Amino acid sequence: MEKDIPLNIEILSGEENEKYQLTSAKEIKFVLRTLAAKRSRVALYYGDTNDCFLTTILGVDDTGIWLEQSSNSSDNQLISESNKLVFVTSHLQIKIQFTTNQVHSTIYENCAAFYLPLPDSLYRLQRREYYRLEMPTQYLLHCMIPAATPNVKQLNEFTIMDISCGGVRLICAETDTEIAVGKTYVNCLIDLPEVGKISGTIVVKNLFLFSMASGHTQKHAGCEFKNLDGASTLLLQRYVMNMQRIKADS
């Protein structure tokens, strides 16, 4: 069961702006259309006192968004007159936040609604919760880890079972001694098809044996990314969203 995420406004630092900001129109529309399809609740903050009411996204197209109006006509008037509105919601256990400076009243499928242009950017705040993408067999990724032996440039290849902005789960040989709990591996490379390559440091948090239906045993390593930079985080977010889109269309 998904946890409820508090829909309060987040104040972001300059570093967080870069780390969490999404600017691709295609990806912004994907997130908003998913919210509309799921009728996710949205907190709409308006006015100088940051008054708020809960609404839902009714529809999204290539130009804008339709939101359900409040049942209180006075609130709707204040919202229409406000020059700053902040929208806070959640998508796949990740808080979503974006801002606009105007909306106007309209009708959407016989329902009183607000219309606003698509935001130029939004924030996907992945501070505490990470959506883990289980890798389909036809799209398996590999993590290239430099050999631990000094002066050896060999890269050891490990298949990735799942991935998120928090870390990866790797398949190891049952007798493999290269991966050990507590060890840190720097300059690990992952090629994300159609997105780009990322490089980072991983820390092995746990190892466990997994029995397969065939009777064979696999060893899995749960690894955490350590201080993954903002550029790599954005590439990884983009890849996860692309894969979600592919899985939803299949």
Side-chain angles (χ1 to χ4, degrees), residues 95-163:
K95 183 179 283 188
I96 306 296
Q97 180 172 307
F98 63 94
T99 303
T100 189
N101 58 10
Q102 64 176 3
V103 299
H104 68 259
S105 296
T106 186
I107 299 295
Y108 182 85
E109 295 183 350
N110 298 318
C111 178
F114 289 117
Y115 174 82
L116 62 147
L118 284 177
D120 294 328
S121 65
L122 59 75
Y123 295 97
R124 303 179 74 247
L125 303 171
Q126 285 187 302
R127 287 196 175 101
R128 301 175 183 85
E129 302 289 344
Y130 294 104
Y131 173 79
R132 300 193 71 85
L133 174 69
E134 297 280 346
M135 298 306 304
T137 54
Q138 67 270 38
Y139 296 105
L140 287 180
L141 299 177
H142 297 91
C143 181
M144 311 300 292
I145 300 179
T149 306
N151 301 320
V152 174
K153 295 184 178 180
Q154 175 185 348
L155 291 175
N156 296 310
E157 181 179 297
F158 296 87
T159 299
I160 295 174
M161 290 296 294
D162 63 50
I163 189 168

Side-chain angles (χ1 to χ4, degrees), residues 79-91:
I79 292 167
S80 297
E81 295 172 353
S82 179
N83 58 11
K84 182 180 180 181
L85 302 111
V86 181
F87 301 82
V88 185
T89 184
S90 63
H91 174 244

Side-chain angles (χ1 to χ4, degrees), residues 3-16:
K3 300 177 183 178
D4 286 335
I5 295 178
L7 299 182
N8 56 295
I9 296 176
E10 297 278 351
I11 306 300
L12 304 178
S13 66
E15 180 181 346
E16 288 176 322

Side-chain angles (χ1 to χ4, degrees), residues 14 26 37 41 70 112 120-121 133 136 148 166 169 198 203 205 212:
K26 183 177 181 180
R41 64 192 184 118
S70 169
D120 294 328
S121 65
L133 174 69
R169 179 162 56 101
I198 64 173
V203 181
K205 307 299 288 187
M212 303 174 65

